[in-house]
Amino acid sequence: MNVLEKILKEIENESKLAHEEMRRCARGNPLQFDEAKGYARAMEYVVDAIRSRMDEREVFKFDFNRVKSFDCQCGRHYVNTYDGGWIPVDERLPEEGEKILYDMQLVTLEDGEVCLGVYRNQENEWWTRRQQGEEWYTNKHDVVAWQPLPEPIY
């Protein structure tokens, strides 16, 4: 049960008590009836307002055993729960870095080799260099997944 549901339950209980008080006042204390009636109506309004907001909100429920990755609502965080931090390129590509040069990524090539690579956003292409047999970065390899390099320890 989320917080909004707990609050709603408490207010519904208070609304029930307010209606009981209103009925009691109607029978035995007509001077307090208007006050009790106003309080009961206010509780109804609050319950309706909370219910309408609960219907509007988006609920994100994740089965982390089956989901690969997702972006949060605010769009500033990315959570990858699949394959040890690897992000499939068909799900998401690196964003442009703030560095003058390109941000280096760890990439997995189509044949399974892991190497360093750079995604060039303006050209929409990966530049990679295999660990064995290549001196220069090229754009001839197919990248299937990537992950950011960890921050330096110092």
Side-chain angles (χ1 to χ4, degrees):
M1 182 180 293
N2 71 35
V3 174
L4 210 49
E5 290 170 334
K6 289 178 183 177
I7 292 169
L8 180 63
K9 188 172 183 165
E10 289 176 26
I11 293 175
E12 284 174 332
N13 288 337
E14 184 64 25
S15 178
K16 182 179 175 184
L17 292 173
H19 280 86
E20 288 172 8
E21 179 68 13
M22 185 180 73
R23 285 189 288 279
R24 189 183 62 73
C25 288
R27 288 188 300 262
N29 191 351
L31 295 174
Q32 287 185 325
F33 176 76
D34 287 338
E35 186 178 324
K37 181 179 174 183
Y39 185 71
R41 282 190 176 172
M43 288 294 104
E44 288 174 14
Y45 174 78
V46 171
V47 167
D48 290 343
I50 291 173
R51 276 204 180 113
S52 71
R53 299 311 182 275
M54 288 175 70
D55 293 340
E56 291 174 2
R57 69 188 173 98
E58 294 181 35
V59 177
F60 292 92
K61 294 181 180 177
F62 292 99
D63 177 359
F64 287 101
N65 296 316
R66 293 177 38 202
V67 91
K68 289 184 180 179
S69 57
F70 63 90
D71 287 305
C72 73
Q73 264 183 314
C74 70
R76 293 179 300 198
H77 306 94
Y78 184 79
V79 177
N80 190 345
T81 62
Y82 183 72
D83 286 341
W86 289 103
I87 304 165
V89 295
D90 58 355
E91 283 187 31
R92 181 170 168 254
L93 293 168
E95 296 174 10
E96 275 191 77
E98 296 177 7
K99 298 177 182 175
I100 295 172
L101 298 175
Y102 297 99
D103 287 329
M104 191 67 66
Q105 313 293 337
L106 198 57
V107 300
T108 300
L109 302 179
E110 194 171 43
D111 64 0
E113 182 177 340
V114 175
C115 62
L116 293 176
V118 172
Y119 183 73
R120 298 179 66 173
N121 296 78
Q122 293 174 340
E123 292 85 10
N124 294 324
E125 62 186 8
W126 284 96
W127 284 75
T128 59
R129 184 178 65 83
R130 291 187 177 276
Q131 293 181 29
Q132 301 286 322
E134 292 183 352
E135 287 184 44
W136 306 101
Y137 284 83
T138 69
N139 62 351
K140 66 181 181 179
H141 305 124
D142 291 324
V143 174
V144 295
W146 65 279
Q147 64 178 284
L149 292 175
E151 292 295 320
I153 195 165
Y154 298 104

